[in-house]
Amino acid sequence: MTLHPEQLGQSKQELAATLKDLRKRAGLSGARLAARCNMSQSKISRIESGKSPATPMDVEQILRALKAPPEILASVAELARLASTDWQGLRALRRKGLHRKQQELANLESSSTEFRFFLLSMITGLLSTPEYIKASLSHLQGDQSQLIARKLSRQEILYDTDKKFTFLLSEMAARWPLIPAPAMAMQIDRLISLSRLPNIQIGIIPLTGLMPVAPMDTFTVYDRSLVTIETTTGVLALRDPKDVAIHVDTFSTMEGCAMFGAEMRNLLEQWSDDFRTST
């Protein structure tokens, strides 16, 4: 499926209208369709009005209840996948204020319990020192103090032991010199410190040996129900269970390549020392 960002906002209403039209063509009331799908009539109504987004599984269930032909199944399933995808462009986020995105992330973190972060090229804000966060925002114009404060306040979630975090960092992400060497040493020391928290696992993927796969993006999996993918120009959110499963499988594969525990901390200590002695 080819994704066109401008389509993503339209697809949800298009899917709702398509499902409603197919039901009417089949000569079924909302109540009869709900009974066939083992759903409530109110859920069918919300889906058809676009008030409640239909998951790809909901759509498949509805289409089979309507005995839709294979070509309809394929085209509407593709539309359902598109409808379960959200795109937030960086330019639009900047216009609204990037600090608002931090509140959205805080809400998502509050409502989730298990997190998988794959960090390809830099350290995520949850693990960052204030200096690293400031440097990561240096390309933005204007005063970013409010945004920095929001990013730092989100770090409190790490100390909630009801939540489980696994962070996988490539060697490039951990060592990329975004800030001066002494500050990089302190940033790496922070990774070592956080790795000792009981609900946090930090894994480092060293650039040695053969890698079984080559992930193309930084991504986060929330509770096996949502994946967010960071790109240079924005953030893509995927809710299709198949898309989520692909990223969980990729994460598991890379987890098998990572170093954890004492071995990981020894490696980080070596890199921290390297930064301190390089000045």
Side-chain angles (χ1 to χ4, degrees), residues 3 8 85-88 226-231 234-238:
L3 285 177
L8 298 179
T85 303
D86 290 320
W87 168 258
Q88 293 181 315
L226 169 69
V227 175
T228 60
I229 302 170
E230 297 180 39
T231 74
V235 180
L236 192 66
L238 306 176

Side-chain angles (χ1 to χ4, degrees), residues 12-13 16 45-53:
K12 294 179 177 63
Q13 291 302 321
S45 177
R46 290 194 304 273
I47 287 174
E48 290 186 352
S49 66
K51 293 179 180 178
S52 179

